[in-house]
Amino acid sequence: MATIWIDGEWHTRETARVSVFDHGLLYGDGVFEGIRAYSGKVFKLADHLDRLYDSAHAVLLEIPMEKAAFRKVIEEAVARSGLQDAYIRPIVTRGVGDLGVDPRKCPRASMIVIVDEIKIWPAERLEQGLSVITAGTPIPHRESLSPRVKSLNYLSHCMAKLEANVAGADEALMLDAGGHVAEGTGQNIFVVKGDTVRTPPLHAGILAGITRKVVMELAAEAGHQVREEIINRFDIYTADEAFLTGTASEIAPIARYDGRKIGCGKAGPKTRDLMQRFREYVRR
Ligand code: PMP
């Protein structure tokens, strides 16, 4: 059952409400995380909390609770939900202010935790592989709103996802200002060529995906050469295999990109091996 905590109070889906004067709603002024629980245990919670507090610090947003206390709230929310496999969405908004942009009008940040069921790609869809396009909407420039901040400002990502919907594709990849491939609307990108597994470097201006980090470790363990390098669309077109990684998507193979068949046109052997390693890792 969906369990929601807002500023110290427990709610259901029906009773959870936020103010229309909250700057998270009015201006997308806030930060969030997407976390999973497997078998009742929260996956990589410390890493997610570090990223949340870093995002808040970067936008000068003071989270009115210590990390350790917030950790307990999140764990209690999962326990109260009764869900073994769950999706967890912590949110910190600038809080309630007035209709002006000025954050000084928001005396206290608002904190929310939502725990709900996780909706995942069906196994046969993953086996087939996803169809992905390049979005015309670029990722925000890292010096405008850094993609390393996981902020509530996801409108560019929503636009890219809409482009995928309009094109009848499953997902979209966003380019950076230089035309390099940055990331998906909620995933990082990897390409496999021979024994080498490549993903764009963080300084390119992408979110430091927690799944990305785990997959890089698993790929190294599997004996691949793992490199953080700029990736262009050509690299994906000509890859042996390509896949997306994210908390919700886990590892999602790409079968087609911009109409080109990628590798064998379904989940390739190295991607399937990494998916298996990932499944074992999260259950450990
Ligand atoms: N990029 C973006 C834009 C995202 O929203 C996400 C999902 N949080 C990711 C990448 C993947 O990050 P993670 O593996 O930490 O979920």
Side-chain angles (χ1 to χ4, degrees), residues 49-226:
L49 282 169
D50 285 347
R51 190 169 69 183
L52 181 74
Y53 279 69
D54 281 350
S55 291
H57 183 69
V59 299
L60 220 63
L61 172 60
E62 196 180 326
I63 302 183
M65 187 181 269
E66 295 289 331
K67 240 183 238 182
F70 200 24
R71 182 188 181 100
K72 289 216 175 79
V73 171
I74 291 169
E75 283 170 341
E76 187 181 345
V78 173
R80 279 176 179 247
S81 77
L83 295 169
Q84 286 299 299
D85 291 339
Y87 185 77
I88 308 156
R89 171 61 56 91
I91 306 165
V92 183
T93 78
R94 189 75 63 181
V96 174
D98 64 14
L99 289 178
V101 171
D102 192 345
R104 285 177 301 187
K105 299 290 168 56
C106 310
R108 192 185 160 85
S110 235
M111 301 178 71
I112 299 170
V113 177
I114 307 168
V115 178
D116 204 354
E117 278 164 16
I118 174 87
K119 296 187 182 64
I120 40 179
W121 299 103
E124 62 277 10
R125 194 76 202 78
L126 288 181
E127 181 59 30
Q128 268 171 5
L130 306 180
S131 129
V132 177
I133 57 151
T134 304
T137 309
I139 197 96
H141 190 276
R142 63 174 188 276
E143 302 310 328
S144 62
L145 174 60
S146 174
R148 300 202 47 192
V149 174
K150 198 162 169 58
S151 83
L152 293 178
N153 245 292
Y154 256 51
L155 196 52
S156 302
H157 301 72
C158 295
M159 291 300 111
K161 185 74 188 182
L162 275 171
E163 290 184 53
N165 295 349
V166 169
D170 297 303
E171 256 307 329
L173 282 169
M174 302 171 80
L175 307 182
D176 67 16
H180 309 298
V181 178
E183 58 186 336
T185 63
Q187 309 90 1
N188 293 109
I189 173 76
F190 282 77
V191 290
V192 182
K193 187 88 175 168
D195 282 337
T196 307
V197 174
R198 290 196 294 153
T199 191
L202 299 183
H203 64 77
I206 57 166
L207 188 76
I210 286 155
T211 319
R212 171 186 179 277
K213 191 170 151 212
V214 171
V215 168
M216 284 170 69
E217 287 165 14
L218 294 176
E221 265 174 43
H224 301 300
Q225 270 209 55
V226 181

